[in-house]
Amino acid sequence: MRKVLPILVVRENKLTAGVLLFAATAILYLTPNHYHIFKPRLLPLTRVDAVVPFIPQTVWLYVSEYLYLAVIYWSYKNLQNLNRFIYAFLSLQAGCVILFWLWPTAISRGAFPIPASLDPVTRLILTVLRRADSPTNCFPSFHVGSVYLSCLLISSEERPKFYFFLVWSTAISLSTLTLKQHYFVDVVSGFCLAVILFLVFRRTQFVKSGGKTADCSSPQGHL
């Protein structure tokens, strides 16, 4: 039996809902990032962590996540898929934030100072990023989970669109390692959470007020 949930986002409130969603995401992420109930702990390095080099220029890939989420959010044309994304994304955030509060983890940046030879613009972006995003909120990687989850949920719309976002999300995920923002285990756990939530929500149906299910094949089912 398929789960049935109320529709939260339609064409008329798509922009407003998107702004509110990403504003809430920033607040919920940054709060445990800077204020801790328990002392954050370092995780042991794996062989992958030891082998992957620090490449500061990949900060551009890393921060492209913010553009990625805006683009993919607006790329959802199917009303059902868009609402799957909203519910799944909020579930991902809730799970990650609970872990960030109760089992905070951190990564050491001391061994990876910003090179003095780095070009000024890239250096500025990396400096701002490190000041805004403290080296905590590591496990699981919300960065990785959010891009893969949104990519998987759009897979039923247009295959070229899915492949485009898959390549972009993979590049972003790899940058979390080359920028030394995350451990390898963070990336794996973030990806696994994305797959789990995709499987949980992929068959969920959404209904309008009055209990009528939105028909994906009708104009009302598309944005």
Side-chain angles (χ1 to χ4, degrees):
M1 183 177 179
R2 292 186 177 183
K3 297 180 292 297
V4 178
L5 295 170
I7 285 178
L8 296 178
V9 181
V10 293
R11 180 194 302 271
E12 292 75 15
N13 69 356
K14 187 177 181 180
L15 177 58
T16 302
V19 171
L20 291 175
L21 175 65
F22 294 116
T25 296
I27 294 170
L28 290 171
Y29 177 86
L30 291 173
T31 302
N33 184 251
H34 290 275
Y35 304 98
H36 310 116
I37 299 173
F38 305 107
K39 183 178 180 181
R41 66 188 71 187
L42 298 177
L43 297 179
L45 297 177
T46 66
R47 290 185 179 181
V48 174
D49 296 309
V51 169
V52 173
F54 174 51
I55 308 176
Q57 291 83 357
T58 55
V59 68
W60 292 103
L61 281 174
Y62 186 86
V63 299
S64 76
E65 185 212 17
Y66 311 118
L67 175 62
Y68 172 100
L69 289 175
V71 172
I72 199 168
Y73 175 83
W74 210 255
S75 296
Y76 283 103
K77 302 303 180 185
N78 183 283
L79 183 61
Q80 294 283 325
N81 281 340
L82 178 61
N83 280 273
R84 287 187 187 102
F85 167 75
I86 297 294
Y87 278 92
F89 189 88
L90 290 173
S91 298
L92 174 69
Q93 173 122 50
C96 288
V97 168
I98 289 171
L99 277 172
F100 296 158
W101 279 119
L102 300 181
W103 195 64
T105 52
I107 190 167
S108 176
R109 291 174 177 166
F112 308 103
I114 301 175
S117 59
L118 199 62
D119 71 89
V121 178
T122 304
R123 182 180 179 85
L124 175 63
I125 295 298
L126 184 51
T127 300
V128 170
L129 172 68
R130 286 191 167 186
R131 287 177 180 173
D133 188 3
S134 75
T136 58
N137 286 10
C138 289
F139 181 89
S141 173
F142 180 68
H143 218 79
V144 171
S146 60
V147 293
Y148 275 121
L149 176 61
S150 54
C151 174
L152 290 170
L153 287 168
I154 209 170
S155 61
S156 64
E157 294 199 9
E158 299 174 28
R159 300 308 287 184
K161 184 190 297 185
F162 164 69
Y163 292 130
F164 170 76
F165 286 116
L166 179 62
V167 171
W168 193 354
S169 59
T170 300
I172 290 171
S173 299
L174 291 174
S175 75
T176 67
L177 296 175
T178 57
L179 208 58
K180 299 303 177 181
Q181 288 285 110
H182 282 285
Y183 299 94
F184 180 61
V185 68
D186 305 336
V187 174
V188 173
S189 59
F191 176 78
C192 289
L193 276 177
V195 172
I196 291 169
L197 288 169
F198 167 69
L199 294 175
V200 168
F201 285 98
R202 67 174 177 166
R203 295 188 180 277
T204 302
Q205 293 296 308
F206 300 91
V207 297
K208 299 179 180 180
S209 57
K212 183 178 179 181
T213 302
D215 182 0
C216 298
S217 62
S218 69
Q220 290 81 13
H222 291 77
L223 295 168

